[in-house]
Amino acid sequence: MHRLLLLSCLWLLAAPPASSIFQRPTGTPAPARLQYLLEPLHPTVHTQRGATATLPCVLRALPSNYRVKWSKVEPANYRENIIIITNGLYHKNYGPLSPRVRLRHSHRYDASLTITNVALEDEGRYRCQLVNGLEDESVSLTLHLEGVVFPYQPSNGRYKFNYHEAKRACEQQDSRLATYQQLYKAWTEGLDWCNAGWILDGTVHYPIINSREPCGGRLLLPGVRTYGARDKQKDRFDAFCFTSALQGQVYFIRGHLNFKEAGQACRNHGAAIAKVGQLYSAWKFSQLDRCDGGWLADGSVRYPITTPRERCGGLPDPGVRSFGFPSKEMRTYGTYCFVG
């Protein structure tokens, strides 16, 4: 016992002070202090599709011969795409965002970026960079869209999409491939799905709330399970799609319609048969709640439930229920229509 106490005392004498344990290693430069740009008070800006959002970038001083460059980091290819460059007097827009972006310029120190009619693909990380010779500095901001993630597979079964087909399938359903952050958030909100699916950066995952044998076994903890990066051409999985608020309305037409008649019924009302992403959006943002199965544009039959009840599938949680892809000749269901 005395020997142990002696060794403990010797270790404490030899150990560095507590503060030095966490000191930066010798030779590692300290983070550069911003000289001209103000650190944003809120680095994440929350918005919805169709809204107008402003990403703040404010200068504390105006250096001579400076430029401010806004760019967006794309997770699918890890590139930075330039959006706008200004010298305080003139500016030039670049890329696909060009028609929808402008500088707020509420005063001469304001280089904030305003995006109008926010689209699904606008979500992500943005960089405001002050270009001033050797004294370049930048701040990063994240544009976050409120939305919903849903798993998607085609009519011919699971694990049929390569990456590019999954990306196209989500876009055809008024959505886009989800990011990892969107999928993770959906998991924290209760998304539990056993089939693996592509996400935007080309990796493959599936979210599990209730561990079970067909989904990796009962011994694995809940979480977002990952297959990592896969071959975008050869490997085949489902897709995890993301959609946000609608600029329009989804509504139900009752009847005993086959798929062709369902589409015509919507057109007769000046609408179009709804896409899967539109139904999920109406369920999430408009609390659309119907116990009636209805045709959608991809040939599937689904219905949205916000208040679970025994006679509407009996499941305890809200969600969009699916009857799969029945024969398009069946005259059993109504249809969900979308008008913008």
Side-chain angles (χ1 to χ4, degrees):
M1 175 65 75
H2 293 296
R3 181 180 175 130
L4 285 173
L5 288 171
L6 179 60
L7 288 173
S8 298
C9 293
L10 289 173
W11 182 88
L12 287 170
L13 288 171
S19 60
S20 69
I21 294 175
F22 301 101
Q23 286 179 351
R24 190 177 292 105
T26 304
T28 303
R33 182 180 176 275
L34 292 176
Q35 182 179 356
Y36 294 106
L37 294 177
L38 290 173
E39 193 73 41
L41 188 61
H42 301 290
T44 299
V45 175
H46 297 266
T47 188
Q48 293 181 352
R49 176 168 55 175
T52 296
T54 297
L55 299 167
C57 185
V58 178
L59 284 69
R60 69 172 81 236
L62 299 177
S64 58
N65 302 318
Y66 77 96
R67 288 178 299 154
V68 170
K69 179 175 73 174
W70 275 100
S71 56
K72 184 174 187 286
V73 181
E74 298 295 346
N77 52 24
Y78 304 104
R79 293 175 54 191
E80 279 200 26
N81 294 329
I82 297 175
I83 299 170
I84 196 168
I85 296 177
T86 181
N87 64 358
L89 296 175
Y90 306 100
H91 70 272
K92 185 172 182 180
N93 294 16
Y94 297 86
L97 266 174
S98 180
R100 296 188 290 112
V101 296
R102 58 180 171 80
L103 294 169
R104 182 174 63 181
H105 208 64
S106 58
H107 51 80
R108 67 194 191 106
Y109 297 100
D110 185 12
S112 302
L113 182 74
T114 295
I115 305 174
T116 60
N117 193 22
V118 169
L120 293 176
E121 60 269 21
D122 296 344
E123 170 148 321
R125 189 160 64 89
Y126 292 76
R127 191 158 75 110
C128 176
Q129 181 180 15
L130 177 76
V131 182
N132 182 36
L134 299 178
E135 297 181 336
D136 294 359
E137 57 189 54
S138 65
V139 294
S140 291
L141 300 108
T142 299
L143 186 66
H144 172 77
L145 269 68
E146 301 295 338
V148 58
V149 171
F150 61 93
Y152 189 75
Q153 58 183 222
S155 59
N156 56 342
R158 72 172 195 160
Y159 293 176
K160 301 296 183 182
F161 294 136
N162 67 23
Y163 172 80
H164 306 287
E165 292 164 344
K167 185 172 183 290
R168 188 161 55 248
C170 288
E171 290 166 356
Q172 289 170 349
Q173 296 309 314
D174 192 52
S175 58
R176 70 184 299 229
L177 279 176
T179 65
Y180 181 81
Q181 290 78 11
Q182 289 165 345
L183 181 62
Y184 184 88
K185 183 173 184 290
W187 169 72
T188 66
E189 295 171 349
L191 181 60
D192 183 281
W193 196 255
C194 207
N195 294 346
W198 294 101
I199 63 171
L200 186 60
D201 64 3
T203 57
V204 175
H205 309 266
Y206 63 102
I208 294 297
I209 299 290
N210 302 306
S211 299
R212 50 203 187 272
E213 286 305 329
C215 307
R218 296 180 182 277
L219 298 180
L220 285 179
L221 293 173
V224 179
R225 313 266 171 82
T226 179
Y227 288 179
R230 309 298 293 205
D231 190 306
K232 292 182 178 180
Q233 292 287 353
K234 297 179 181 178
D235 289 327
R236 294 188 174 270
F237 298 94
D238 292 345
F240 286 106
C241 305
F242 171 83
T243 192
S244 186
L246 286 173
Q247 291 183 291
Q249 180 187 7
V250 172
Y251 62 93
F252 181 74
I253 294 180
R254 191 182 301 275
H256 297 283
L257 310 170
N258 63 29
F259 177 71
K260 185 176 180 181
E261 292 167 343
Q264 187 60 52
C266 291
R267 289 190 291 274
N268 291 344
H269 285 75
I273 190 168
K275 299 177 179 180
V276 177
Q278 291 167 342
L279 185 65
Y280 269 93
S281 179
W283 165 74
K284 174 76 172 180
F285 292 99
S286 303
Q287 288 74 54
L288 184 62
D289 184 289
R290 287 205 68 103
C291 212
D292 307 278
W295 291 103
L296 296 176
D298 65 341
S300 65
V301 173
R302 305 174 196 248
Y303 62 102
I305 295 295
T306 56
T307 305
R309 46 211 186 268
E310 189 62 35
R311 65 181 184 86
C312 297
L315 296 175
D317 300 314
V320 174
R321 318 279 196 243
S322 175
F323 288 118
F325 294 84
S327 167
K328 291 184 176 180
E329 300 305 315
M330 286 184 64
R331 284 191 169 92
T332 307
Y333 307 104
T335 183
Y336 288 96
C337 304
F338 171 73
V339 61

